[in-house]
Amino acid sequence: MSRVQFDHRFCQKNPSFVETGSCFDKTDTRSIKVRPGGHEALPQKELDISAFSFNKKTERKTPHAFVRKGSGAGGTLKPPKIDETPPIFPDENIESPSQRKEHFPAFSVRPNPPNSEFRRHYERGDLPIQIDHGGCHNRIAWKVGIEKLDFHHYLPIFFDGLREVEMPYAFLAEQGVYDMMQVGQSKVVSVIPQLIIPIKTALNTRDRSVIAKVLKVLQALVKCDDNEENLVGKSLVPYYRQILPVLNIFIRKNDNMGDAMDYGQRQQRNLGELIMETLEAFERHGGPDAFVNVKYFVPIYESALTAAF
């Protein structure tokens, strides 16, 4: 009797939130008390009062803290005992320098609660979309023509869903943004001011997957009206102050592969390369003032348009 062979495939589990509940429930947003990208949940270091004042923090000594008889060297010429045990140094090979940087609060992930405007409108049935489960990959089936939609109302909602990491909200928001930018190229320019807050909120979460997703969307955003005027790219220049500071933090996050082969290049998960590509797209499509503003917020950036000597 032949044995049956089972093909076990282990896939990464999609992230889920307790507030989401089952597929028949609505997200419980009333129990969410944190704001997306907030700094309140970060571990706080103890404040050193003596660093900026004459006050010093003292502790009450216990009987074990006092010097005992025969343990001191006061009044005698007896030298103190020297501890000859060799010091223990931490093994530097355990953590690489890039991994040690992760302990700093600047690189830690901020809260990303499931209370986006996209999730709220999708659960109420306000968005004219549904998932079209195809044979190769999923698509969005629009119930209304995209050219007939009010971009001032719907496009900021879809951009606010870019910080979602739970399915199907993450897929619908990202694919909906690409579909709307592809069809309504001429309608995107007037909606740029309403897109800045959702983009800034998504970047402030400091989540690697969310940042990579937003960077790809920003590259497609400045190229959606790829003509001689580049109105979308020029409209983003006044808002670099809200977008670029987070990119300046993660611009050094490159994968040091050495002489190895990176087989995941097509997935575009290298955050440092994505940030450099995004800044180059900003410079190419942002007009004559783009490089000066990018250089102001990202000092290590060098122009990609200057001729090599």
Side-chain angles (χ1 to χ4, degrees):
M1 184 176 181
S2 61
R3 298 179 59 183
V4 180
Q5 296 181 358
F6 295 95
D7 184 15
H8 296 282
R9 298 182 179 180
F10 297 95
C11 301
Q12 185 179 3
K13 185 178 179 181
N14 294 327
S16 59
F17 298 95
V18 180
E19 295 83 2
T20 303
S22 66
C23 58
F24 303 101
D25 299 330
K26 190 178 72 170
T27 304
D28 184 17
T29 57
R30 293 177 297 178
S31 61
I32 300 176
K33 304 300 181 182
V34 296
R35 62 185 181 91
H39 306 278
E40 295 81 6
L42 295 177
Q44 301 292 336
K45 293 184 179 180
E46 186 178 359
L47 184 62
D48 186 9
I49 303 177
S50 61
F52 51 89
S53 65
F54 294 102
N55 298 328
K56 292 185 179 181
K57 185 178 180 180
T58 59
E59 295 181 357
R60 184 182 181 87
K61 289 187 177 183
T62 61
H64 300 284
F66 291 94
V67 179
R68 296 184 179 183
K69 180 181 178 180
S71 60
T76 64
L77 299 177
K78 182 180 178 180
K81 295 182 180 180
I82 301 176
D83 189 7
E84 298 181 354
T85 57
I88 301 176
F89 296 99
D91 189 2
E92 298 181 355
N93 297 325
I94 296 178
E95 291 183 350
S96 62
S98 61
Q99 292 176 342
R100 287 196 291 268
K101 291 181 181 179
E102 300 299 330
H103 301 299
F104 293 102
F107 301 99
S108 58
V109 181
R110 267 57 171 175
N112 188 11
N115 58 352
S116 64
E117 289 295 320
F118 178 83
R119 180 185 289 247
R120 185 169 66 89
H121 283 79
Y122 179 74
E123 291 179 347
R124 292 195 316 185
D126 295 342
L127 303 179
I129 55 175
Q130 65 182 21
I131 300 179
D132 182 12
H133 298 278
C136 299
H137 57 274
N138 297 335
R139 295 184 298 270
I140 292 183
W142 293 85
K143 303 176 183 178
V144 182
I146 301 178
E147 65 278 356
K148 299 179 181 179
L149 295 177
D150 184 8
F151 274 55
H152 283 270
H153 175 70
Y154 286 102
L155 193 57
I157 294 176
F158 278 88
F159 264 83
D160 191 49
L162 291 177
R163 64 180 179 89
E164 290 284 351
V165 295
E166 191 177 7
M167 294 296 174
Y169 311 102
F171 166 74
L172 289 172
E174 183 180 8
Q175 189 61 38
V177 167
Y178 286 118
D179 292 348
M180 295 185 71
M181 289 191 301
Q182 183 180 2
V183 176
Q185 301 176 358
S186 59
K187 301 180 180 180
V188 178
V189 182
S190 57
V191 199
I192 291 296
Q194 284 76 31
L195 305 181
I196 302 304
I197 293 180
I199 293 174
K200 180 183 177 182
T201 305
L203 293 175
N204 283 339
T205 59
R206 311 289 174 92
D207 191 347
R208 305 293 183 83
S209 60
V210 175
I211 294 177
K213 185 196 307 183
V214 174
L215 291 177
K216 296 175 185 177
V217 171
L218 288 175
Q219 294 180 21
L221 180 64
V222 297
K223 299 175 185 177
C224 66
D225 63 338
D226 197 1
N227 49 33
E228 296 181 357
E229 297 181 357
N230 293 323
L231 297 179
V232 175
K234 294 179 181 178
S235 301
L236 282 175
V237 175
Y239 303 103
Y240 285 173
R241 184 179 297 272
Q242 286 77 24
I243 300 175
L244 299 186
V246 177
L247 306 188
N248 189 32
I249 298 175
F250 292 93
I251 195 171
R252 293 293 190 184
K253 290 298 179 181
N254 292 311
D255 296 334
N256 188 6
M257 303 294 296
D259 58 348
M261 180 67 72
D262 184 12
Y263 294 98
Q265 297 183 43
R266 61 181 181 86
Q267 299 176 357
Q268 293 183 338
R269 294 180 179 177
N270 192 337
L271 208 56
E273 293 182 359
L274 269 176
I275 292 175
M276 291 301 297
E277 292 175 1
T278 306
L279 296 179
E280 291 175 2
F282 282 175
E283 183 185 3
R284 289 192 178 94
H285 301 84
D289 299 331
F291 173 71
V292 178
N293 290 272
V294 171
K295 187 72 174 178
Y296 181 79
F297 295 102
V298 187
I300 67 173
Y301 176 74
E302 296 296 336
S303 177
L305 303 181
T306 56
F309 294 98

